[in-house]
Amino acid sequence: MSASLTQAMADLIVVFYKYSGNEGDKYTLTKWELKNLLQNDLCSSGMLGIMRELDDNKDGVVDFKEFVVLVTAVTIAANDFFLDWYKSNNE
Ligand SMILES: [Ca+2]
Ligand SMILES: [Ca+2]
């Protein structure tokens, strides 16, 4: 897997649309689609709490902008976790 930022952004878009096309509107995630995405691609049930806060404009679906906000929050949390892990394995 490439570690480039461009590739990471492309992956984000691909993952979003891979799940957004399964139910209802093709360009937004329903709760069900988002749940599948989180379970299959982020592998963490701990994220389900964040989901409820995610639907910013309360229209019942998550659009790409709302999704990116979530991924950013998760990435920041993952970075903290990774740094701890990295330090404990490289010192
Ligand atoms: Ca959809
Ligand atoms: Ca929304």
Side-chain angles (χ1 to χ4, degrees):
M1 192 172 131
S2 167
S4 89
L5 191 55
T6 316
Q7 184 60 48
M9 289 187 286
D11 287 348
L12 204 58
I13 293 165
V14 166
V15 167
F16 182 87
Y17 289 109
K18 184 170 119 191
Y19 289 94
S20 71
N22 289 330
E23 182 184 74
D25 188 285
K26 262 194 278 197
Y27 305 106
T28 55
L29 294 169
T30 60
K31 296 231 152 64
W32 179 79
E33 287 168 336
L34 184 64
K35 190 163 165 274
N36 283 336
L37 185 158
L38 293 173
Q39 283 176 346
N40 295 338
D41 277 275
L42 286 175
C43 304
S44 175
S45 53
M47 298 300 160
L48 292 175
I50 299 173
M51 267 177 68
R52 270 175 234 120
E53 308 303 316
L54 192 66
D55 184 20
D56 223 13
N57 60 4
K58 307 289 178 222
D59 64 354
V61 291
V62 173
D63 61 25
F64 188 70
K65 192 191 112 209
E66 291 166 338
F67 176 67
V68 169
V69 170
L70 166 78
V71 172
T72 305
V74 171
T75 305
I76 290 167
N79 180 53
D80 292 344
F81 178 83
F82 177 78
L83 280 178
D84 285 346
W85 175 87
Y86 185 82
K87 282 176 191 160
S88 63
N89 282 277
N90 288 280
E91 277 170 6

